[in-house]
Amino acid sequence: MKILLKIQYIGTAYCGFQCQKNAVAVQNVLTDAAKRVFGVPCLVTGSSRTDAGVHALGFCATVETGEGAFSIPVERLHRAFSQVLPDDISVIDAALVCDDFHPRYSAKGKNYIYRIWDSPVNNPFERGRSMFYPRRIDGERLALMEKAAAAFVGKQDFSAFMATGSKVTDTVRTVSEAFLYREEGGCLVFSVSADGFLYNMVRIMAGTLIEVASGKIDAQSIKDIISSKNRKKAGVTAPPEGLYLKEVFYDENICWQGL
């Protein structure tokens, strides 16, 4: 058996989830913590990679000890990990899964959100947690963003929304929903769910929507931009600090503990 962890983290101090040379990743910290919790070396595998500075509200990762049964009941793991993890990473739920379960390849999709602090006045409490856009987005400009976001929905080739230089050749993805909402008294949020995402895809989508709001890109041109498969026609890549992996979707009946 494996243990599937659901974790939250603030990505500001990390180079992303996946281990890299000469930089600290969330995977490094989680692997070290798992060894301390279980008392043996552990293999930690994540549901995806995240860029430096990107955050997570519901990232999933499996833990394997190679020692058979786990020494701590799954319902107590959040308490055990809280003793050994830094305060910017937290285990919020856990479940037992089968040996053939893979957090990445068993996933059927993911939901990301991108948070925008749209105000003439910067909010220091949002520093590193959202993109600062120095103008309120509402009314007609918000309606244009909503129209543009709706054009992302469907099975399409998103080459135009992939980072230049990416080596991925299968660039077709199915976006099931894409919409905007406002947190109560707070950020404007772009939410997008899909069966998979290309490198920087959500950040480019968010940057494109910002350029729609600013009048640099026509909201009606999104389908044409997608059809062009030309990265230069889409908007800028929005900064990483606004991006959060919110949820990973699985078909399997995951028995989360509801910790």
Side-chain angles (χ1 to χ4, degrees):
M1 297 292 288
K2 302 177 182 178
I3 290 178
L4 181 64
L5 301 178
K6 185 180 291 185
I7 66 174
Q8 294 182 339
Y9 59 82
I10 296 297
T12 306
Y14 303 103
C15 65
F17 177 81
Q18 187 164 308
C19 293
Q20 298 182 31
K21 294 181 179 179
N22 304 317
V24 178
V26 175
Q27 188 177 25
N28 297 119
V29 178
L30 193 60
T31 300
D32 291 342
K35 182 178 180 180
R36 294 177 65 185
V37 166
F38 295 110
V40 295
C42 297
L43 175 64
V44 173
T45 305
S47 54
S48 65
R49 302 178 64 174
T50 56
D51 292 339
V54 172
H55 316 298
L57 297 170
F59 191 95
C60 290
T62 53
V63 176
E64 302 171 71
T65 66
E67 297 290 329
F70 292 97
S71 57
I72 300 176
V74 66
E75 65 270 14
R76 297 182 185 175
L77 283 177
H78 65 303
R79 294 175 185 253
F81 272 98
S82 70
Q83 301 300 311
V84 295
L85 284 170
D87 59 10
D88 53 4
I89 304 176
S90 180
V91 171
I92 63 170
D93 213 337
L96 288 173
V97 292
C98 297
D99 288 335
D100 61 355
F101 180 91
H102 193 286
R104 178 180 178 186
Y105 300 119
S106 297
K108 301 303 178 183
K110 299 181 181 73
N111 171 247
Y112 282 90
I113 61 171
Y114 194 92
R115 302 177 68 247
I116 304 163
W117 179 259
D118 57 322
S119 170
V121 180
N122 188 26
N123 183 345
F125 295 103
E126 286 289 339
R127 181 179 176 85
R129 310 292 177 86
S130 65
M131 173 187 172
F132 174 49
Y133 182 76
R135 185 179 179 186
R136 183 75 170 181
I137 300 174
D138 54 16
E140 182 179 354
R141 287 181 296 143
L142 179 56
L144 290 173
M145 288 182 73
E146 291 172 334
K147 181 176 182 178
F152 292 137
V153 176
K155 185 176 182 179
Q156 305 178 83
D157 187 326
F158 284 96
S159 298
F161 292 85
M162 178 175 67
T164 302
S166 176
K167 297 180 180 179
V168 174
T169 56
D170 179 9
T171 52
V172 175
R173 298 292 185 272
T174 301
V175 173
S176 55
E177 60 178 16
F179 60 93
L180 293 113
Y181 65 91
R182 186 172 295 281
E183 297 173 348
E184 186 175 355
C187 289
L188 180 64
V189 180
F190 168 54
S191 175
V192 57
S193 298
D195 59 357
F197 292 89
L198 302 171
Y199 185 47
N200 282 353
M201 180 171 162
V202 180
R203 290 169 58 190
I204 297 170
M205 285 177 162
T208 300
L209 293 179
I210 289 293
E211 293 197 26
V212 167
S214 64
K216 296 179 181 179
I217 292 178
D218 188 339
Q220 298 184 23
S221 69
I222 300 300
K223 287 294 184 181
D224 291 336
I225 293 173
I226 294 172
S227 297
S228 75
K229 303 179 186 179
N230 185 347
R231 171 66 188 92
K232 293 181 180 180
K233 292 186 178 295
V236 299
T237 303
E241 58 264 26
L243 184 61
Y244 296 71
L245 173 58
K246 184 177 182 181
E247 187 174 359
V248 184
F249 304 117
Y250 296 106
D251 273 351
E252 286 84 352
N253 184 24
I254 307 296
C255 295
W256 296 109
Q257 298 299 303
L259 304 176

